[in-house]
Amino acid sequence: MNTLKRAILFFLYILPLITHGQDSVKTHYNLEECIALALKNNAEAQKSANSSQAASLDLKQAKAALLPTLSGSFDHNINTGFSTDPITNAIVSENITSGNQRLNTNMVLFNGLNLLRTIRQQAFAYKATQMDEQRIKDNLTMDVILAYLQVITAKDALEQYKQQRDVTKKQLERLAILNRDGAVAPGEYYDVKGQFSGDQITVLTGENTLRTNVIVLTRLLNIPYSQALSFEPINQLPDVSSASLSQEALYERAAASLGTLKAAQFWKESAEYQLKATRSLYFPTLSLGANLTSRYSNADENRGTYMDQIQDNLGKGAGLTLSIPILDGFRRRINVSRAKLELRNAEIDLENTENNLQQQTAQVLINLQTAKEKYLEIREQVEAYKESFRVAEVRFEAGDINSVEFLLQKTKYDQANISLVVAQYEWQLRQRIANYYNGQR
């Protein structure tokens, strides 16, 4: 009985926690939330951030190469039988315990400015990876906007499909009564019945399209797909009277705000310093070295304590080392040639990026203007077909036209409504893309 009571109390305690956990799962998102979630969760975005951190570490390592090196070593030996006295170098027959201590430091004084140029190379590479990270996030943002609008488009189109089906259903129910009473030709009834089946199929197809588009969006957000997911509609259309952007101004703002062109510029500058750093290896390297040594042995007749011997046997040294490259199998010359090729590739990438960005901004404005004009034309078409269908519906119910003429007018009106939904969100998409290139986040 006590066990049952404890189980009930445990259940009553854990149930609110389970319910709270279920309630905390977010299922409704707006566009801004989707963009933020994608930037946080998307695997490619996370990898780009890791690449930036790795480039930061490379820069730190290049700067640390200016610091002197410092190393120490310690050995301890035990010899039995005949061995060499480490103090007198005489052959003795006794157990000897000995050890050596060393401390070395080295610092490069000059190496043709290789270290400084390497730092500059890594600094520009770090900036380039940061811009690459921004470019990836920019592209991801645009992908999320496109996927989100496709979801909203599919959702609104599905509502249109259902409304069209309901209109057909209403006429089918009316004709079913008339057909049962023999007050209408059977062909009229079966034409509308066939149309109703087609509308049902269209609704099913629309539902599948909506689910597919939601899956595409969740893949970008890196969250599990669920039928409970819902997305906030975008009801506000762009301003019809908004001033048009010039292609030159849009290009300049895109170059300043997007990471694409900046990354190419930084990679080119990094390649320039890589070439300079590689050429500097032709110069001699001058370095300063110093060392501190000592030793210990129990065979020393005047030995004191361990620390006494360390102090008594202390040795110091310092010196300069000049290393002159003479022949190394043409490695330096080949590395310089490779660096020249990498610089040329970076220059080609920069030129190509500039041209692509100029073409993209021009295409963005063309697509925006076309989408705007298309929406306005389709909106007028919908108004015209709406009135035409209203008249056809009245005449069909009055028996003035047959089912073929009625369904023809209905099809025109239905297709115009769907086209209006698609055109509306295409205009939204093109406007948001233009805003993004214009530096508006």
Side-chain angles (χ1 to χ4, degrees):
M1 191 66 181
N2 290 334
T3 302
L4 179 61
K5 185 182 294 184
R6 284 195 296 269
I8 293 174
L9 291 175
F10 176 77
F11 178 77
L12 292 175
Y13 170 77
I14 201 67
L15 181 60
L17 298 178
I18 297 175
T19 305
H20 174 73
Q22 292 174 342
D23 292 341
S24 63
V25 176
K26 187 173 179 60
T27 58
H28 184 75
Y29 297 91
N30 58 31
L31 178 57
E32 287 70 24
E33 290 172 336
C34 286
I35 293 174
L37 192 60
L39 294 177
K40 176 184 176 183
N41 291 347
N42 186 269
E44 190 174 1
Q46 294 180 49
K47 288 181 180 179
S48 67
N50 291 339
S51 297
S52 295
Q53 293 181 8
S56 174
L57 295 176
D58 291 338
L59 176 58
K60 289 181 180 179
Q61 185 174 9
K63 291 179 178 180
L66 292 173
L67 300 175
T69 61
L70 180 65
S71 61
S73 65
F74 170 85
D75 63 68
H76 190 78
N77 306 297
I78 299 176
N79 297 305
T80 60
F82 285 95
S83 60
T84 301
D85 187 335
I87 304 298
T88 62
N89 288 326
I91 303 299
V92 296
S93 177
E94 61 178 293
N95 295 336
I96 296 178
T97 300
S98 62
N100 295 284
Q101 302 80 34
R102 304 177 188 86
L103 192 64
N104 301 294
T105 184
N106 190 73
M107 182 177 181
V108 175
L109 300 178
F110 177 79
N111 67 341
L113 302 180
N114 176 268
L115 294 177
L116 296 177
R117 288 168 175 173
T118 300
I119 290 174
R120 296 293 293 169
Q121 173 202 345
Q122 293 298 338
F124 281 115
Y126 175 46
K127 292 180 180 179
T129 55
Q130 287 181 310
M131 291 301 103
D132 279 336
E133 179 183 355
Q134 180 184 333
R135 174 183 57 80
I136 290 173
K137 291 181 177 180
D138 289 339
N139 294 338
L140 177 61
T141 299
M142 299 309 303
D143 290 341
V144 171
I145 291 174
L146 173 60
Y148 189 94
L149 289 177
Q150 286 178 334
V151 169
I152 301 302
T153 301
K155 180 182 177 182
D156 285 4
L158 179 59
E159 292 300 320
Q160 287 291 328
Y161 295 146
K162 290 179 178 180
Q163 291 177 16
Q164 295 165 9
R165 180 193 60 186
D166 293 342
V167 171
T168 306
K169 182 180 180 181
K170 174 184 174 183
Q171 291 294 337
L172 181 61
E173 291 172 347
R174 183 182 68 84
L175 289 175
I177 297 174
L178 296 176
N179 182 61
R180 187 169 59 248
D181 296 339
V184 68
E188 302 287 332
Y189 168 72
Y190 288 110
D191 278 345
V192 177
K193 185 176 182 180
Q195 178 66 37
F196 179 72
S197 296
D199 289 347
Q200 288 277 48
I201 294 173
T202 302
V203 169
L204 292 174
T205 303
E207 290 174 344
N208 180 70
T209 300
L210 176 58
R211 286 192 290 266
T212 301
N213 291 345
V214 171
I215 290 175
V216 172
L217 180 56
T218 56
R219 187 176 296 118
L220 291 171
L221 305 183
N222 199 17
I223 61 175
Y225 167 77
S226 171
Q227 292 187 0
L229 289 174
S230 62
F231 301 91
E232 189 173 317
I234 302 175
N235 298 320
Q236 184 179 3
L237 284 170
D239 187 3
V240 177
S241 61
S242 58
S244 299
L245 294 169
S246 68
Q247 194 272 323
E248 292 78 11
L250 186 62
Y251 170 78
E252 293 296 332
R253 292 174 184 174
S257 63
L258 298 180
T260 304
L261 186 57
K262 290 180 180 179
Q265 291 171 339
F266 286 138
W267 281 124
K268 173 180 171 295
E269 293 182 73
S270 177
E272 289 175 347
Y273 275 96
Q274 181 183 9
L275 176 58
K276 293 178 180 179
T278 306
R279 282 175 170 165
S280 65
L281 295 177
Y282 284 131
F283 291 89
T285 299
L286 179 64
S287 59
L288 172 65
N291 63 78
L292 193 64
T293 62
S294 186
R295 63 183 180 179
Y296 161 81
S297 174
N298 65 351
D300 189 356
E301 296 179 353
N302 300 317
R303 67 179 180 268
T305 64
Y306 181 84
M307 292 305 300
D308 290 339
Q309 288 200 44
I310 294 297
Q311 293 178 0
D312 294 341
N313 297 326
L314 194 63
K316 304 173 184 177
L320 293 173
T321 301
L322 181 65
S323 176
I324 303 174
I326 298 176
L327 183 64
D328 63 345
F330 300 104
R331 289 189 183 90
R332 289 177 175 81
R333 180 175 297 180
I334 292 173
N335 288 337
V336 168
S337 298
R338 286 198 180 101
K340 289 180 179 179
L341 291 176
E342 291 182 9
L343 174 58
R344 181 55 189 152
N345 286 336
E347 292 172 343
I348 293 173
D349 288 341
L350 176 58
E351 181 181 358
N352 185 57
T353 302
E354 290 174 341
N355 291 333
N356 286 341
L357 185 59
Q358 190 274 339
Q359 295 160 5
Q360 289 169 4
T361 51
Q363 190 65 54
V364 162
L365 293 180
I366 293 172
N367 292 341
L368 175 59
Q369 185 63 27
T370 302
K372 175 182 176 180
E373 294 175 356
K374 182 179 179 181
Y375 170 79
L376 296 177
E377 289 295 332
I378 294 177
R379 188 175 65 177
E380 293 185 7
Q381 183 186 55
V382 168
E383 291 299 320
Y385 281 148
K386 180 179 180 181
E387 180 62 20
S388 176
F389 175 68
R390 186 191 67 80
V391 173
E393 190 173 27
V394 171
R395 295 183 62 194
F396 180 60
E397 292 177 356
D400 293 339
I401 60 174
N402 58 30
S403 60
V404 175
E405 295 174 288
F406 168 74
L407 292 177
L408 178 61
Q409 293 298 327
K410 182 179 182 301
T411 300
K412 290 180 179 180
Y413 181 50
D414 292 345
Q415 290 177 346
N417 276 315
I418 296 301
S419 297
L420 183 63
V421 170
V422 174
Q424 170 184 338
Y425 287 111
E426 183 179 359
W427 185 15
Q428 282 272 10
L429 173 64
R430 299 305 178 186
Q431 184 64 62
R432 285 180 177 270
I433 292 175
N435 291 343
Y436 210 85
Y437 274 82
N438 198 35
Q440 301 174 16
R441 299 293 188 264

